[in-house]
Amino acid sequence: EESLQMWDLNKRLEAYLARVKFLEEENEVLRAEIQSTKSSPAGDLWRVKYEEELRALRDALDHAFREKCTAELARDNLYEEVQQVKSRCQKEQAAREEAKKQLSLSRKELEEERRAQIWLKERAVQLEKEVEALLEVHEEEKAGLDQEIASFSHSLESFRCAPVAFQPVEVEDYSKRLSDIWKGAVETYKTEVSQLEGSLCQAKENLWKAVEDNQQSQLQLQHLEKDLAGLKARKEMLEESLAQQWQEQRGEAEKFQLAMEALEQEQQSLRVQIARVLEDRQQLMHLKMSLSLEVATYRTLLEAESTRLQMPAG
């Protein structure tokens, strides 16, 4: 039984030694292949090619990042310009509204001046009619006084000898008073007419000023409309350029994303390959260690068996 056990152990030892030798040879072959691949020009070319591709991708990544930064700066600048254009449009709109208000006020003042002018014309016509009526009344009163004076003179000539209680001086005083009253009335009417003419001239000047202000407001409104049209065209152009830059930036971002995904896939595949190689090496190391332990165990068993067999002989 002991000899059978020893024979079995020897067979197992031989099998394990053969396996260890085969694994060591295979390890040497793999090591030689690794060294040959490292030292071979094909491996160097592959490594150089991979490093060049990686460098090119990194450069493309940096270039895309720089372009993204420049596009963001251009976008911010365009946004600021759009905001400035909007603020200018708002200012122009406010100025336009103010010009419209001033134009409406000027129109109201013009209507009021026209109404005042019409009223002054009507008042002047009315005063002229009153003056004519007063002149007619004065002429009638003067004719009546002349007739009375003539009748008084006839009566005085017929009754020269008779005592006269009425004196002609009173008639003259009465005519002088009437003439003074008439002169005063004429002067007052003249002053009123002159005042009305002055107010009419002032109303005409105000009307001309209102017309000139209206014309200036219309010219200013036309200039503002032209500026507003130019600003609208510039705003549309800026919006179009901003949309175009957004599209270009989006296309570059998509390209950059695709390149990043390709790099990530390649990196993942490289990680998988490296993990496989490390796992294979680790398995080989574990197998080598287990075989070394078994060999050491069998050696100790063989040494113990040989010492046990040599002890009786000694």
Side-chain angles (χ1 to χ4, degrees):
E1 290 177 356
E2 290 178 355
S3 61
L4 288 173
Q5 287 179 359
M6 288 296 296
W7 184 75
D8 189 11
L9 288 172
N10 288 324
K11 290 293 182 183
R12 290 178 65 185
L13 181 61
E14 288 177 358
Y16 276 113
L17 289 173
R19 190 175 179 184
V20 168
K21 187 177 180 181
F22 174 73
L23 289 173
E24 287 180 352
E25 290 176 354
E26 190 176 3
N27 194 6
E28 291 294 331
V29 170
L30 289 173
R31 188 176 296 168
E33 287 180 356
I34 290 168
Q35 292 293 330
S36 64
T37 53
K38 285 183 179 179
S39 61
S40 64
D44 293 334
L45 290 173
W46 181 80
R47 183 179 296 172
V48 169
K49 185 177 179 181
Y50 176 71
E51 288 178 354
E52 287 179 355
E53 289 180 357
L54 187 62
R55 193 179 299 109
L57 290 172
R58 285 177 181 173
D59 293 334
L61 182 63
D62 294 334
H63 183 67
F65 184 73
R66 287 194 295 271
E67 287 182 351
K68 183 181 178 182
C69 292
T70 54
E72 287 179 354
L73 289 173
R75 183 191 63 187
D76 295 334
N77 293 325
L78 287 173
Y79 182 74
E80 289 179 358
E81 288 182 0
V82 168
Q83 291 296 326
Q84 290 177 1
V85 169
K86 285 182 178 179
S87 64
R88 287 186 65 184
C89 286
Q90 290 177 358
K91 290 179 181 178
E92 295 293 335
Q93 190 70 25
R96 187 175 179 182
E97 294 294 332
E98 186 68 23
K100 285 183 178 179
K101 288 180 181 179
Q102 291 180 0
L103 183 61
S104 62
L105 291 173
S106 299
R107 286 177 180 174
K108 288 180 180 179
E109 290 178 357
L110 183 61
E111 291 294 331
E112 290 178 356
E113 293 294 335
R114 285 178 181 175
R115 290 176 183 175
Q117 188 178 4
I118 291 167
W119 180 80
L120 289 172
K121 286 180 180 179
E122 291 177 354
R123 182 64 177 167
V125 171
Q126 186 178 1
L127 289 172
E128 287 177 357
K129 288 180 180 179
E130 289 179 358
V131 169
E132 289 177 357
L134 289 172
L135 287 171
E136 290 177 357
V137 171
H138 179 66
E139 291 293 335
E140 290 177 357
E141 289 179 354
K142 189 176 180 181
L145 288 173
D146 290 334
Q147 288 178 1
E148 288 180 358
I149 290 167
S151 62
F152 280 129
S153 63
H154 285 299
S155 62
L156 286 173
E157 287 178 357
S158 60
F159 297 101
R160 282 180 182 177
C161 295
V164 180
F166 181 74
Q167 294 180 1
V169 181
E170 295 178 358
V171 177
E172 291 177 358
D173 293 332
Y174 181 70
S175 63
K176 286 180 180 180
R177 288 178 184 176
L178 287 175
S179 62
D180 292 333
I181 291 167
W182 166 248
K183 288 179 180 179
V186 169
E187 291 294 331
T188 54
Y189 280 115
K190 284 182 179 179
T191 53
E192 289 180 0
V193 169
S194 62
Q195 289 177 0
L196 289 172
E197 288 178 353
S199 61
L200 182 62
C201 293
Q202 187 68 29
K204 287 181 179 179
E205 290 178 358
N206 293 327
L207 181 63
W208 282 109
K209 287 180 180 179
V211 170
E212 289 178 356
D213 292 335
N214 190 6
Q215 291 178 356
Q216 290 179 0
S217 299
Q218 288 180 356
L219 291 173
Q220 188 177 4
L221 184 61
Q222 290 176 359
H223 287 300
L224 291 174
E225 287 177 353
K226 288 180 181 178
D227 293 336
L228 183 63
L231 289 173
K232 284 182 179 178
R234 182 172 175 77
K235 182 182 177 183
E236 291 176 357
M237 184 176 67
L238 289 173
E239 287 178 354
E240 289 177 358
S241 62
L242 182 62
Q244 187 176 2
Q245 287 186 2
W246 269 108
Q247 290 178 358
E248 291 177 357
Q249 186 178 2
R250 190 177 295 171
E252 290 176 358
E254 289 177 357
K255 291 180 182 178
F256 174 71
Q257 188 68 28
L258 291 173
M260 287 293 293
E261 289 177 357
L263 284 173
E264 287 178 357
Q265 290 178 0
E266 189 174 358
Q267 186 178 5
Q268 191 69 26
S269 64
L270 288 173
R271 284 180 180 176
V272 171
Q273 291 177 3
I274 291 168
R276 286 178 183 175
V277 171
L278 291 174
E279 188 176 359
D280 294 336
R281 286 184 179 180
Q282 191 173 4
Q283 288 179 359
L284 289 171
M285 290 296 293
H286 282 298
L287 184 59
K288 187 176 181 181
M289 288 175 67
S290 63
L291 289 173
S292 299
L293 289 173
E294 287 182 0
V295 167
T297 304
Y298 280 111
R299 281 178 182 174
T300 54
L301 289 172
L302 288 172
E303 287 176 357
E305 187 65 24
S306 63
T307 54
R308 188 177 65 80
L309 291 173
Q310 290 175 3
M311 286 293 292

